[in-house]
Amino acid sequence: MSSDLCEKVDVSRIFIHRLSGLASEARVSSVEAANTVLEGWAANSLQSDADQCEFKIVFEDGFWYHGKMPLTPSGKRVSLARYVRKQLAALAGTEGKKRALPKDESPELAPLGADVAESAKMALDYYNI
């Protein structure tokens, strides 16, 4: 059965921790709520700062994804889902030639497949992110 015909596994909770700037933490139950928190933090971030947050997304079946995201006031809407999909695509090698993420940005994910690339591909296919 194709992954397009199956329902994707939804987010259970998202933990967010601001690593620099004003110390803040949040626990939310949706990507939309996480975006709201991140937009507020980014709006209060100085352009020159290397402000970052750390996040862990836990899905309803227990799969998790952990990474870091920069917080910069860019004028664009913050999208945690878009950011995670780009990271997963880079790990899976689906964005043209396989790219390595910078060491400090390398995310961690619960193993699904035989290796990180396969796990990232499966995450893109089966999880609602």
Side-chain angles (χ1 to χ4, degrees):
M1 182 180 275
S2 147
S3 64
D4 294 336
L5 300 176
C6 297
E7 263 189 57
K8 292 189 174 193
V9 179
D10 285 326
V11 169
S12 172
R13 60 195 175 278
I14 301 172
F15 302 96
I16 314 167
H17 173 76
R18 192 168 184 172
L19 297 174
S20 51
L22 184 62
S24 302
E25 291 187 357
R27 177 183 173 166
V28 296
S29 58
S30 72
V31 173
E32 294 79 14
N35 290 343
T36 301
V37 169
L38 293 169
E39 283 178 4
W41 290 355
N44 293 322
S45 176
L46 298 175
Q47 189 75 322
S48 59
D49 280 350
D51 209 354
Q52 278 195 336
C53 73
E54 184 174 36
F55 61 88
K56 183 172 185 179
I57 303 170
V58 180
F59 292 86
E60 289 178 347
D61 67 353
F63 172 75
W64 54 266
Y65 183 87
H66 175 259
K68 293 179 183 175
M69 179 177 178
L71 292 172
T72 54
S74 65
K76 292 194 297 186
R77 293 196 59 156
V78 173
S79 175
L80 179 62
R82 181 178 57 234
Y83 184 80
V84 169
R85 283 192 301 268
K86 282 183 175 185
Q87 285 191 321
L88 287 169
L91 288 172
T94 59
E95 286 189 349
K97 193 169 114 179
K98 188 170 184 173
R99 296 184 310 162
L101 293 169
K103 187 174 179 79
D104 61 337
E105 291 181 27
S106 293
E108 299 174 36
L109 61 157
L112 290 171
D115 60 24
V116 172
E118 185 179 337
S119 293
K121 171 91 172 82
M122 291 172 75
L124 285 168
D125 288 345
Y126 300 112
Y127 292 89
N128 192 14
I129 191 69

